[in-house]
Amino acid sequence: MDLFSHNQNPKEMPLAERLRPQSFAELVGQESLFRKNPNLFSRLQKGNLQSLILWGPPGCGKTSFAKAVINEVQAQVFEENAVDLGVKRIRELGEAAKSRLFEQNQKTVVFIDEIHRLNRGQQDVLLPYVERGHFYLIGATTENPSYQLNSALMSRCRLLEFEPLSHLDLKKILAHALEKQQLRVEDLLGPEAIQSLIEASHGDGRKILNLAEEVIYCFQNQLSGPFPLTEESLKTLFQSSGLRFDKKGDEHYDTISAFIKSLRGSDPDAAIYYLVRMLEGGEDPLFIARRLVILASEDVGNADPQALGVAVNGLHAIELVGLPEAQITLAQMVTYLACAPKSNRSYMALRSAQEVVQKSGPLPVPKSLRSAQTRLMKSLGYGEGYQYSHDGDKGYIQQDFLPEPLKNQRFYEPSGRGFEKRMAEYQKWVRGDRAITEKKED
């Protein structure tokens, strides 16, 4: 399909699509990107294509930039979304582009939105067509491409990093949108309402246009008022229209917070509920999976050492299959972690050790533990007195490993839950009289 081509009546299109920039001159924001890459833009404006990866948050202008690039060149253009792009389709695009190039001397551009959702196999099929110049790739992603795209593909593309639009950028977009409707900002919105609308957009140009479209509709059809709207009347308007007006972005943070706390609280039902809420709201499954990997260590810990393996394997599986099947893997990860025994003792040990290191600094390592690889080191007593632990009857010989000022310091104290209970029992058995004392569980 030709990129950005529309058979739809322009009046029926969303305001954000109607006002999409058509050239570099019409783009708003990203001044630093233009400053950092002056030669690139000069090259593109002359019609010299290059494969690009556009990385940045939603609504910052990645797709508009792609359109501006494509409008500068004579090429056959195809728009794809990584969620729907299979290996067969990639091969079809590549072979058709190769034929077009050799038989008609015509360039091809393939724009892939959400390119981070391509799995490794799909990227491997894509690579040779980009590498041999059969088509030019423009990929858009909200995820760090160095984590999501293989290094071979990245090395064939130029990475352009986009930033969230500034408040000034959003204000320009808002004024331009109203001007196109023969309206003035001050007629529709009071100063506080303007600021609230900008803050609620979170650097997303598409979002501020969607919000502005609702305000314009109500103004033109006299469905709300009085105008100009105050901050409170603006909130009331969006509540009644069903549009999300979230000035501080609380919905995202509140939901992920409730999700993690439900898992920590061993409630699989609540955890699954918030998982679905996030997926339905468009949350990236890889973001959720990474949070689960963290939780597997922070909140489950050694009470169930297998939990980290479940989480890491789940993350890899989600990278391989993508949505919608990734939801099944997430559900398995969530229910396992919610039902696993919990312990944060390894995390607390880390925090405790960090506090001690910050206060005491780099204390001298005991000489018995130092590397004695040279004659000088040996003459200074390095390694002297060290005993090989496996020579002990239990595979353990009592000796001091911490610096002298920290002798007998305890950082890690296993709980009495799950596998960690066995770890505590082992420590008690192997250390004998120096056994650690288990903390009484609440």
Side-chain angles (χ1 to χ4, degrees):
M1 181 177 72
D2 202 12
L3 181 61
F4 311 110
S5 63
H6 295 280
N7 296 320
Q8 188 178 357
N9 184 337
K11 292 183 179 180
E12 296 175 354
M13 292 162 53
L15 183 63
E17 197 58 47
R18 279 181 274 151
L19 297 182
R20 184 181 293 283
Q22 303 295 310
S23 66
F24 289 132
E26 295 179 13
L27 291 174
V28 176
Q30 308 307 330
E31 287 83 2
S32 63
L33 183 65
F34 281 80
R35 284 197 304 271
K36 292 176 184 176
N37 301 277
N39 295 332
L40 170 68
F41 296 112
S42 174
R43 173 180 172 172
L44 292 173
Q45 286 173 325
K46 291 176 182 177
N48 295 320
L49 274 171
Q50 183 176 8
S51 288
L52 303 169
I53 299 296
L54 315 180
W55 171 34
C60 65
K62 301 185 297 295
T63 303
S64 295
F65 177 88
K67 180 172 178 62
V69 170
I70 290 160
N71 283 345
E72 298 287 347
V73 298
Q74 295 296 319
Q76 183 71 39
V77 183
F78 295 89
E79 178 185 14
E80 305 289 337
N81 190 297
V83 174
D84 304 315
L85 188 61
V87 167
K88 181 181 177 182
R89 176 60 176 164
I90 294 173
R91 287 202 176 101
E92 287 176 355
L93 289 167
E95 293 304 315
K98 183 163 59 172
S99 299
R100 197 175 295 113
L101 181 64
F102 295 146
E103 295 173 9
Q104 305 171 33
N105 195 29
Q106 185 180 18
K107 298 176 182 177
T108 302
V109 176
V110 177
F111 175 84
I112 302 179
D113 199 13
E114 298 187 90
I115 193 170
H116 59 273
R117 295 185 184 273
L118 292 182
N119 62 40
R120 299 298 175 184
Q122 292 167 323
Q123 291 180 43
D124 289 342
V125 175
L126 185 67
L127 177 62
Y129 297 113
V130 176
E131 188 175 38
R132 296 166 190 163
H134 294 152
F135 61 67
Y136 294 94
L137 170 68
I138 301 181
T141 175
T142 56
E143 294 291 313
N144 189 328
S146 62
Y147 296 143
Q148 310 301 328
L149 302 181
N150 65 48
S151 56
L153 185 59
M154 285 294 296
S155 68
R156 272 74 177 179
C157 303
R158 183 162 184 170
L159 175 65
L160 299 180
E161 184 178 357
F162 288 66
E163 299 175 351
L165 297 176
S166 69
H167 282 198
L168 181 59
D169 294 332
L170 293 170
K171 195 169 184 177
K172 289 179 181 177
I173 291 171
L174 177 62
H176 176 66
L178 295 178
E179 182 183 326
K180 285 290 185 180
Q181 305 294 316
Q182 288 80 49
L183 298 170
R184 297 188 308 166
V185 175
E186 55 268 28
D187 292 335
L188 275 70
L189 300 163
E192 292 182 355
I194 294 171
Q195 189 62 26
S196 292
L197 203 67
I198 289 171
E199 291 176 4
S201 301
H202 308 297
D204 186 331
R206 186 184 302 107
K207 185 169 184 179
I208 199 168
L209 288 173
N210 289 341
L211 296 173
E213 188 168 23
E214 183 68 18
V215 174
I216 292 169
Y217 178 81
C218 291
F219 178 78
Q220 292 177 335
N221 293 276
Q222 300 181 342
L223 297 178
S224 184
F227 287 90
L229 297 175
T230 64
E231 183 177 18
E232 287 304 313
S233 57
L234 189 67
K235 289 179 180 179
T236 302
L237 166 63
F238 286 118
Q239 286 171 359
S240 64
S241 68
L243 280 175
R244 178 68 188 172
F245 182 75
D246 183 18
K247 184 176 175 181
K248 298 184 182 298
D250 292 337
E251 178 73 10
H252 167 80
Y253 297 107
D254 288 349
T255 307
I256 191 65
S257 175
F259 176 62
I260 295 300
K261 288 171 181 173
S262 299
L263 287 161
R264 184 180 296 136
S266 299
D267 189 333
D269 301 304
I272 281 286
Y273 168 77
Y274 289 116
L275 170 67
V276 173
R277 280 269 299 268
M278 288 188 290
L279 291 172
E280 290 293 321
E283 190 64 79
D284 187 345
L286 287 172
F287 166 76
I288 300 171
R290 291 191 197 102
R291 293 302 299 262
L292 293 175
V293 171
I294 296 168
L295 181 130
S297 288
E298 180 180 348
D299 292 299
V300 177
N302 289 326
D304 182 356
Q306 294 186 83
L308 183 57
V310 170
V312 171
N313 287 331
L315 174 61
H316 291 325
I318 290 164
E319 288 179 326
L320 286 171
V321 303
L323 289 173
E325 290 83 358
Q327 297 176 87
I328 304 168
T329 303
L330 279 169
Q332 180 185 356
M333 295 165 70
V334 165
T335 50
Y336 185 96
L337 294 173
C339 295
K342 306 294 190 298
S343 172
N344 70 342
R345 296 297 174 82
S346 54
Y347 174 56
M348 297 308 294
L350 172 68
R351 297 291 299 273
S352 179
Q354 286 172 334
E355 289 179 10
V356 169
V357 169
Q358 288 167 5
K359 288 179 182 177
S360 61
L363 297 171
V365 173
K367 282 190 175 182
S368 62
L369 303 181
R370 298 184 191 182
S371 175
Q373 296 182 10
T374 67
R375 187 177 300 175
L376 175 62
M377 292 174 178
K378 290 178 181 177
S379 70
L380 294 173
Y382 286 21
E384 188 176 318
Y386 171 70
Q387 300 179 73
Y388 189 54
S389 296
H390 293 287
D391 290 339
D393 292 340
K394 299 179 179 179
Y396 171 82
I397 297 174
Q398 193 280 312
Q399 51 194 321
D400 294 317
F401 294 99
L402 283 168
E404 180 62 28
L406 301 179
K407 188 175 180 179
N408 298 325
Q409 173 76 46
R410 292 279 180 262
F411 295 115
Y412 178 55
E413 299 185 23
S415 71
R417 297 186 290 275
F419 185 79
E420 207 165 31
K421 181 177 181 180
R422 293 178 60 186
M423 294 172 63
E425 291 170 350
Y426 172 78
Q427 291 281 296
K428 184 176 181 181
W429 171 75
V430 78
R431 292 185 175 183
D433 292 338
R434 298 180 74 248
I436 62 173
T437 303
E438 293 182 28
K439 286 188 175 180
K440 184 178 180 181
E441 300 302 327
D442 294 333

